[in-house]
């Protein structure tokens, strides 16, 4: 029987499954294999989904399952979408009325299906939306929107908002994701918009594929120039090449150029960019101020009452801004859980845990135990990181391998401490750790601060007291008050050091690091999330104190990789913490 949900149109035999692995044929109909079953439920804010023009700041219950009907390179959610069978045992069955009750108990105004692809849980979404409406809650989804026309039609009568994630405008881009055409997505966008559903769109910006973004914007403008477009600067994870990642400056240039096509264009995955803000399309005045809040996410700092500009323009907005924006704890909410579980994988990779069955059972246990809260706690220091290694080694029967890894990290870090630990304050340079753009500084509790201090620097980021994930946007005055001797550019959401220098010169940022040209990039994966942070520590020591440190980083890299990856040429060349997802 042909699946009626997705435009791929899988012909599913009796008892068989479709390509997404989430539907089967039972008797005369198609049914979900894991209906009303969830991997996670957690409260988030609307901007974390992200949705920007629908009740901004509202608290909603994010619900997530597993699986996807697409197969995209570098998928940020690959750990939960590429092999749903491996984590399906961790799914918890919750009937629609219980989901709604949890949303109410958490003080949420609505429910949002995101993280994995809601299309593979179509009937579950419909059931929850209908139940939510009875209790006065709204429902929305973040989806690739590859629904059949009939499925989209029925859904449009049930949900209140949708973020449609475009891969681009051309059929070629969609073939890269394993489907045939972009046409169903544009068709469904119009269908949802015409039905009165609040629609926002997002599109990936891959380096060299700017025409795909422009084409998407043009297609959207043919429906309505009021539809917000979120440009997702591509950050390569999984199997995606790092040369597909555009610099923040290139994405900003592209974003600026689209303002002649659409009224409201936003830039994500670019920490510190002002292009997350809402500006009046008539006079250019600020209407809403936001900042980066983890992968694909943002947080609203300020919103003009009613979305009204001083010139009289009124933002096309549904609902009033909610004061006191909800902040998710730890790694919870949005796409942050995917990074947390990849950090676990990075340790397991070093422990040589390759047994698929063992991994399946481990994932089930970790998800059921809410292990992400534990991971966040253990990222506070070297010592707590060692505790996490030992815990995972016990769970997987790799105790000796875990001790070998801990001993290696302790021995290498001790070599740094022995030389840098007794440096007087006058010999410790002031170091500022930034991400994406110079004015986005990591918060005081981040692991990178420990690296700086162990390497003989004074972490200026310890002085940042505001909340943020993973940092906050500083003013020019705050940056200059810090006056760093060195600026280190994070290896995660990164930019070339040359772009940093150009930004500082263009914006007139005055600091010792700028005048002395002391802006340095961290190697991807060497400062956070993976035991490879030990290489980042040695890299930092070489940078901050070349008079006392001269680590041969290529030799150290090969030694580490041979010991823990059993291959001296093993390498990870993108932003992932691991080379391959299971």
């Amino acid at each position: 029987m042909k699946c009626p949900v997705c435009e791929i149109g899988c012909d599913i035999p009796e008892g068989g499954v479709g390509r997404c692995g989430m539907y089967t044929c039972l008797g005369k109909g198609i049914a979900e294999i894991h209906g009303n079953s969830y991997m996670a439920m957690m409260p988030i804010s609307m901007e974390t989904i992200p949705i920007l023009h629908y009740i901004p700041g509202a608290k909603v219950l994010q619900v997530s399952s597993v699986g996807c009907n697409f197969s995209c390179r570098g998928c940020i959610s690959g750990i939960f979408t590429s092999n749903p069978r491996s984590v399906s045992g961790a799914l918890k069955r919750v009937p629609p009325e219980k989901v709604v009750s949890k949303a109410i108990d958490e003080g949420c105004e609505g429910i949002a299906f995101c993280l994995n692809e809601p299309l593979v849980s179509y009937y579950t979404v419909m059931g929850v939306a209908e139940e939510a409406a009875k209790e006065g809650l709204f429902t929305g989804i973040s989806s690739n929107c590859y629904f059949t026309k009939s499925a989209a039609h029925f859904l449009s009568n049930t949900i209140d908002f949708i973020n449609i994630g475009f891969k681009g405008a051309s059929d070629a881009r969609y073939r890269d994701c394993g489907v045939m055409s972009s046409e169903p997505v544009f068709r469904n966008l119009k269908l949802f918009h015409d039905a009165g559903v609040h629609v926002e769109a997002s599109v990936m910006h891959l380096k060299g594929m700017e025409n795909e973004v422009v084409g998407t914007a043009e297609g959207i403008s043919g429906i309505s120039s009021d539809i917000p477009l979120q440009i997702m600067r591509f950050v390569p994870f999984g199997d995606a090449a790092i040369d597909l990642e555009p610099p923040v400056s290139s994405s900003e240039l592209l974003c600026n150029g689209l303002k002649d096509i659409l009224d409201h264009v936003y830039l994500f995955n670019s920490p510190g960019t002002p292009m997350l803000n809402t500006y009046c399309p008539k006079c250019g005045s600020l209407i809403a101020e936001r900042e980066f809040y983890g992968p694909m996410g943002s947080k609203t700092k300020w919103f003009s009452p009613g979305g009204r500009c001083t010139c009289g323009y009124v933002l096309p907005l549904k609902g009033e801004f909610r004061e006191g924006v909800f902040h998710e704890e730890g790694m919870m909410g949005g796409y942050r859980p995917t990074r947390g579980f990849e950090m676990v994988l990075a340790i397991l990779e070093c422990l040589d845990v390759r047994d698929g069955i063992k991994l399946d059972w481990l994932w089930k246990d970790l998800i059921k135990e809410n292990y992400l809260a534990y991971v966040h706690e253990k990222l506070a220091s070297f010592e707590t990181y060692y505790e996490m290694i030992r815990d995972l080694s016990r769970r997987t029967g790799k105790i000796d391998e875990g001790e070998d890894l801990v001993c290696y990290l302790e021995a290498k870090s001790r070599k740094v401490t022995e030389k840098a630990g007794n440096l007087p304050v006058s010999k410790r340079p002031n170091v500022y750790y930034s991400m994406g753009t110079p004015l986005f500084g990591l918060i005081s509790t981040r692991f990178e601060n420990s690296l700086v201090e162990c390497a003989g620097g004074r972490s200026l980021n310890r002085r940042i007291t505001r909340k943020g994930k993973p940092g906050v946007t500083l003013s020019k005055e705050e940056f200059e008050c810090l006056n760093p001797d060195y600026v280190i550019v994070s290896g995660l959401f990164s930019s070339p050091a040359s772009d940093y220098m150009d930004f500082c010169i263009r914006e007139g940022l005055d600091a010792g690091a700028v005048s002395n040209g002391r802006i340095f990039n961290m190697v991807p994966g060497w400062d956070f999330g993976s035991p490879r942070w030990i290489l980042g520590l040695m890299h930092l020591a070489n940078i901050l104190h070349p008079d006392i440190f001269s680590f041969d980083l290529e030799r150290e890299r090969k030694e580490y990789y041979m010991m823990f990856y059993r291959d001296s040429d093993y390498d990870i060349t993108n932003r992932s913490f691991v080379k391959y997802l299971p």
Side-chain angles (χ1 to χ4, degrees), residues 382 412-421 423 427-429 431 433 448 450-457 486 488 520-522 526 533-553 556:
F382 295 178
K412 290 293 183 180
S413 60
R414 193 179 306 117
K415 283 187 176 181
V416 177
T417 304
E418 287 171 353
K419 290 186 177 182
L423 285 170
K427 294 290 186 180
R428 291 177 172 268
V431 181
Y433 224 111
E448 291 89 335
S450 297
L451 295 178
V452 167
E453 291 162 348
C454 182
Y486 288 82
I488 305 299
F520 297 90
N521 279 98
M522 179 56 72
W526 281 21
W533 59 256
I534 195 64
L535 301 174
L537 175 60
M538 290 185 275
H539 182 43
L540 276 173
N542 282 356
I543 290 171
L544 301 182
H545 296 288
D547 53 327
I548 60 175
F549 292 108
S550 56
F551 288 107
D552 182 340
L553 293 177
E556 296 287 351

Side-chain angles (χ1 to χ4, degrees), residues 315-492:
L315 185 72
L317 185 68
K318 289 193 177 180
E320 291 287 334
F321 171 59
R322 302 301 194 244
E323 298 287 349
V325 175
F326 177 72
H327 290 270
E328 299 90 351
E329 292 297 324
M331 291 180 177
M332 309 308 287
Y335 290 87
R336 289 186 297 277
T338 65
R339 300 304 94 210
F341 279 116
E342 197 181 321
M343 292 174 198
V344 173
L345 268 180
I347 294 175
L348 297 178
E349 195 170 36
C350 292
L351 301 181
D352 198 26
V353 178
R354 298 175 182 272
D355 186 318
I357 296 175
K358 183 179 291 186
L359 275 172
D360 289 354
W361 281 107
L362 179 64
W363 286 129
K364 295 169 187 176
D365 288 344
L366 297 186
I367 292 171
K368 287 179 178 177
E369 292 176 23
N370 190 21
Y371 200 77
L372 286 182
Y374 176 86
V375 172
H376 184 258
E377 174 192 335
K378 298 307 176 185
L379 287 173
S381 68
F382 295 178
E383 291 302 320
T384 53
Y385 194 91
Y386 303 151
E387 290 176 14
M388 181 164 59
I389 293 173
R390 289 184 170 117
D391 178 68
L392 290 171
S393 69
R394 285 193 297 270
R395 289 171 179 267
T396 55
K398 295 282 187 174
I399 294 176
D400 290 343
E401 290 85 348
E403 284 305 309
D404 287 344
L405 178 57
V406 169
C407 288
Y408 179 89
L409 298 175
E410 286 181 323
K412 290 293 183 180
S413 60
R414 193 179 306 117
K415 283 187 176 181
V416 177
T417 304
E418 287 171 353
K419 290 186 177 182
N422 296 320
L423 285 170
V425 171
S426 61
K427 294 290 186 180
R428 291 177 172 268
N430 291 322
V431 181
Y432 169 69
Y433 224 111
S434 180
M435 182 179 282
T437 53
L439 293 179
F440 192 85
L442 299 184
I443 57 173
S444 62
T445 54
R446 288 281 295 195
F447 186 79
E448 291 89 335
N449 296 301
S450 297
L451 295 178
V452 167
E453 291 162 348
C454 182
R458 286 188 294 179
S459 174
L460 296 175
N461 299 72
R462 295 289 192 194
R463 302 180 188 176
I464 299 174
T465 58
R466 299 201 302 278
K467 287 185 176 181
K469 293 183 185 298
V472 295
T473 303
L474 305 183
S475 67
K476 177 182 177 181
E477 292 73 25
E478 287 175 311
F479 176 86
E480 292 182 344
C481 184
L482 291 176
N483 189 24
D485 299 313
Y486 288 82
V487 172
I488 305 299
V489 184
S490 168
L492 188 51

Side-chain angles (χ1 to χ4, degrees), residues 32 34-38 94 96 113 121-129:
E32 287 181 49
H34 305 292
N36 295 314
S37 299
Y38 301 92
V94 185
F113 285 78
S121 305
Y122 178 79
Y123 302 109
T124 294
V125 173
M126 293 283 281
V128 170

